[in-house]
Amino acid sequence: MKLLRVLFGLFVVLGVLTGCEGSYRTQVRVGTLSVPAGGTGVVRISILNPPDAKMIQVGPTGFLTFNPSVIQVTGLTGVNGFTVSGSVINNTMGWVQFVASFPGGSIRPIVASGLGVLEIPIVEMSVQAVGPVGSNTALTITAVDLFTDRVGQPIPIGPPIAGQVVIIAP
């Protein structure tokens, strides 16, 4: 038993020294929003269980897609220390591409056992409702082109989790 504790302790020390906080189920999640017809709102794009995240890029291969007859995207803003350094919004075809990063560092969360899923919003996407009441659109990231840690190494991630916008009565 003592040998097991020593090995576990060495594993924890090695993980801290190398920047690896353990086995993560890292994913990108797009939020959901109910917005009145003709109104505006914000959808958050978050990282679930981020192990030292510095930069995310959706594009040139990946897209965040939406139905342009339901919403129009009016802008992207970084939050929680992230900055959107580039974006392309195509409201005719219904897609967005973007790059967001954490200048001068990275999100390096303190991981504690038993906390469950850690979710950190990194981008807010402003939308305008243009569809009729009752219409909705999925918000789907088709691929994350690049997701890196503080030293530029790729972070493996699971499939993105789609969000949704629903148009409600004012």
Side-chain angles (χ1 to χ4, degrees):
M1 187 67 171
K2 187 172 185 172
L3 177 61
L4 185 58
R5 278 191 234 145
V6 169
L7 287 175
F8 179 74
L10 288 174
F11 175 73
V12 169
V13 169
L14 181 61
V16 168
L17 291 175
T18 62
C20 174
E21 287 86 9
S23 175
Y24 286 87
R25 299 170 314 280
T26 303
Q27 290 180 284
V28 176
R29 174 187 289 174
V30 181
T32 60
L33 174 69
S34 295
V35 62
T40 60
V42 171
V43 176
R44 288 188 163 182
I45 301 166
S46 303
I47 303 172
L48 302 179
N49 300 315
D52 190 18
K54 169 131 177 124
M55 192 270 293
I56 182 171
Q57 178 176 326
V58 176
T61 304
F63 299 92
L64 189 157
T65 62
F66 59 92
N67 182 337
S69 67
V70 176
I71 63 167
Q72 299 281 285
V73 174
T74 59
L76 296 162
T77 306
V79 294
N80 291 322
F82 270 75
T83 300
V84 175
S85 56
S87 65
V88 177
I89 299 170
N90 186 325
N91 280 317
T92 303
M93 300 297 291
W95 57 262
V96 173
Q97 294 178 316
F98 64 91
V99 175
S101 61
F102 195 103
S106 64
I107 287 183
R108 190 166 173 79
I110 298 170
V111 177
S113 179
L115 288 180
V117 175
L118 176 63
E119 181 172 354
I120 299 177
I122 59 168
V123 174
E124 289 183 343
M125 182 172 71
S126 300
V127 299
Q128 170 80 46
V130 296
V133 172
S135 61
N136 66 75
T137 181
L139 303 173
T140 304
I141 294 178
T142 61
V144 174
D145 292 272
L146 192 59
F147 188 47
T148 63
D149 66 14
R150 71 183 181 281
V151 294
Q153 294 299 310
I155 297 171
I157 61 171
I161 300 168
Q164 179 180 13
V165 174
V166 177
I167 310 300
I168 59 173

